Amino acid sequence: MARKSKSRDAPTVIHGKRADLKEIKNKMIRSKLYRDQAKARNTEEHKMRHERAKMESMDPSLKEERLANNVPDTLDSKRVFDESIDAEKEGTDEFDNYFSNDKMPKILLTTSKGARKEAYELKEELLDILPNSEFIKRGSKFSLKEIAKFCNNRAYTDIVVINEDKKLVNGITFIHLPEGPTMTFSLTSLRMPKQISGHGRSTNHIPELILNNFSTSMGVTVGRLFQSLFPKLPEFVGRQAVTLHNQRDYIFFRRHRYIFKNKDRVGLQELGPQFTLKLRKFQKGIYEEVEWEHKSGMDKEKRKFFL
């Protein structure tokens, strides 16, 4: 049995005849030839990388040119934006009343009916994160529309509802007042500060809000929802930042405290909590017309993103 050629795509030679590995019926021979081919390819590639590194060390421009011409494709670079929702332009949507004046947000925080321990633990964290917020325990007799009417009569700007199922927090609903919209998010990967190694303690300062990658018309609307929960003038002296990072329609929530160590370095300490949000439903008004809803079939198109 002759050994195969060193060429990457050269056919295997068996008993003086060329043959494709798929045509070899003996499993042991086929496996050995496959290993030989893989070893030869690795040896050749290693030699090529070594020679390329030697040339690039002598001429750095070669490396710059190679990197510029070999940008890998990713889901993010191939993303297809969904513009089926014709959200209004910034400054003319449901949040215009908040952004067009100096009104401070006033937030009522509550839970779904019959909430348990985990919802109340998250409630304490959200009270610490959202300035000018207060908690009212959810009664079993009142619907959210009735609660919204109560809040409108008392100058609240937003309602935040922690949703719980089977003793676990599984979502958050945001209602912007006085007339909506309502946005429902699923919540996963919840980690409280005590579960984060080396976490810090927050202060009473208004945090900075950082929004990343809210690019589509729907994404801009979702970003303005989060902006409306925080006063427009953060207290930078507190060195606290709340980050909402959108990646492939998953919104990652993080909170940090930072300090400038020198001109080029910034130290970060996570405060917590951590969780991930995904928009499930967008409704005009207060639990009224459904403008957009996430459906299971939407996940089949891996390159299409809505935020």
Side-chain angles (χ1 to χ4, degrees):
M1 181 177 65
R3 289 188 176 274
K4 68 178 187 66
S5 170
K6 289 186 178 180
S7 175
R8 184 181 187 122
D9 299 320
T12 303
V13 178
I14 303 175
H15 302 304
K17 297 180 179 180
R18 293 186 172 186
D20 187 8
L21 287 182
K22 295 179 181 179
E23 299 175 1
I24 301 174
K25 297 182 180 181
N26 188 300
K27 182 177 180 181
M28 294 181 64
I29 296 176
R30 188 171 65 246
S31 297
K32 182 180 185 304
L33 291 174
Y34 176 82
R35 291 193 300 270
D36 289 343
Q37 283 187 357
K39 183 177 179 180
R41 285 197 301 268
N42 290 338
T43 300
E44 184 179 352
E45 289 175 359
H46 179 77
K47 182 179 178 180
M48 291 176 58
R49 287 196 298 268
H50 178 74
E51 292 176 353
R52 184 180 63 200
K54 185 177 180 180
M55 294 177 64
E56 289 178 348
S57 65
M58 297 172 63
D59 185 359
S61 64
L62 294 176
K63 183 175 181 179
E64 295 177 3
E65 182 180 356
R66 175 173 60 86
L67 295 178
N69 295 330
N70 292 277
V71 179
D73 289 329
T74 64
L75 281 177
D76 289 320
S77 66
K78 292 183 175 182
R79 68 178 295 175
V80 178
F81 294 100
D82 178 80
E83 296 294 348
S84 60
I85 303 299
D86 186 20
E88 289 84 357
K89 294 182 179 180
E90 185 172 344
T92 59
D93 60 11
E94 300 91 333
F95 302 99
D96 181 50
N97 185 48
Y98 171 79
F99 289 101
S100 62
N101 58 51
D102 296 327
K103 190 176 182 179
M104 279 279 291
K106 182 180 178 182
I107 303 167
L108 184 140
L109 183 61
T110 189
T111 66
S112 54
K113 296 179 181 178
R116 302 295 181 91
K117 180 181 178 181
E118 188 172 273
Y120 283 97
E121 288 179 345
L122 180 58
K123 172 264 295 184
E124 291 297 330
E125 296 299 326
L126 293 181
L127 286 174
D128 188 42
I129 294 167
L130 299 173
N132 202 26
S133 59
E134 61 178 301
F135 175 75
I136 296 181
K137 187 174 182 179
R138 178 78 176 272
S140 59
K141 298 181 180 179
F142 299 103
S143 68
L144 282 175
K145 281 197 172 185
E146 291 173 320
I147 294 173
K149 183 177 180 181
F150 167 88
C151 291
N152 276 330
N153 292 335
R154 289 160 179 79
Y156 286 92
T157 61
D158 295 271
I159 302 173
V160 179
V161 184
I162 301 172
N163 300 315
E164 184 188 83
D165 183 43
K166 298 179 181 178
K167 300 183 181 181
L168 295 175
V169 172
N170 66 346
I172 295 184
T173 298
F174 298 92
I175 304 174
H176 185 68
L177 300 175
E179 298 178 348
T182 301
M183 298 191 196
T184 302
F185 296 81
S186 61
L187 186 151
T188 56
S189 305
L190 175 62
R191 296 183 69 200
M192 295 298 185
K194 60 185 179 183
Q195 298 172 296
I196 301 173
S197 177
H199 73 88
R201 293 186 178 182
S202 64
T203 63
N204 293 326
H205 297 92
I206 297 173
E208 303 170 53
L209 178 63
I210 302 171
L211 298 174
N212 291 332
N213 297 338
F214 292 87
S215 307
T216 67
S217 57
M218 173 67 82
V220 170
T221 302
V222 171
R224 280 166 67 80
L225 166 74
F226 292 126
Q227 285 179 306
S228 70
L229 299 174
F230 292 85
K232 303 181 192 68
L233 296 175
E235 297 174 338
F236 296 103
V237 67
R239 303 194 309 275
Q240 293 184 117
V242 169
T243 302
L244 289 159
H245 175 75
N246 172 44
Q247 185 171 350
R248 301 174 189 173
D249 289 348
Y250 287 94
I251 302 171
F252 299 92
F253 176 95
R254 298 293 185 269
R255 182 169 58 147
H256 293 88
R257 181 169 55 197
Y258 62 89
I259 185 170
F260 295 100
K261 294 184 176 181
N262 53 47
K263 292 183 179 180
D264 301 319
R265 296 183 61 194
V266 178
L268 289 177
Q269 183 180 34
E270 188 162 5
L271 304 178
Q274 299 177 358
F275 52 83
T276 303
L277 301 174
K278 187 173 180 67
L279 182 63
R280 297 296 176 180
K281 188 181 294 186
F282 177 95
Q283 293 170 273
K284 291 286 186 180
I286 300 171
Y287 278 104
E288 294 175 355
E289 177 187 355
V290 176
E291 188 76 9
W292 180 91
E293 185 172 8
H294 181 272
K295 298 179 181 179
S296 58
M298 294 178 176
D299 294 327
K300 293 181 180 179
E301 177 53 74
K302 299 297 183 182
R303 295 184 301 163
K304 192 169 188 177
F305 304 115
F306 299 93
L307 301 184

